[in-house]
Amino acid sequence: MLPRLLGEVAPIDLFIHDANHAYSAQLREYRCAWPYLRPGGVLVSDDVGNPAFVEFAAEVDARPYLVPGSRMDSAVGLVRKD
């Protein structure tokens, strides 16, 4: 459903991931949304508690920003598309 929806509304300025926080689900959604994000757009991910977000940022050659969450094992991640 996500690829079809993104194709209908692209380009997007902001994508917020706050769904399944499993490593594979996060990577899949980041990779799905990234091509539809306009230059200067931001991808945000809630509950970053595994390496998927940082690995994805490296994959797309973007600098990840992590804001500590309320739990020790969680953060909010932000990455800007150049």
Side-chain angles (χ1 to χ4, degrees), residues 2-15 32-39 81:
L2 183 59
R4 184 176 46 114
L5 176 62
L6 288 167
E8 292 175 12
V9 300
I12 58 174
D13 297 312
L14 176 67
F15 179 79
C32 181
W34 192 256
Y36 297 99
L37 198 63
R38 71 163 180 82
K81 186 174 187 179

Side-chain angles (χ1 to χ4, degrees), residues 22-70:
Y23 176 90
S24 60
Q26 287 177 313
L27 269 181
R28 183 176 55 251
E29 289 195 9
Y30 303 155
R31 289 174 176 157
C32 181
W34 192 256
Y36 297 99
L37 198 63
R38 71 163 180 82
V42 176
L43 185 147
V44 177
S45 186
D46 186 38
D47 290 333
V48 173
N50 65 54
F53 184 79
V54 174
E55 289 176 13
F56 172 77
E59 183 178 302
V60 296
D61 197 29
R63 181 176 178 191
Y65 295 91
L66 298 172
V67 179
S70 58

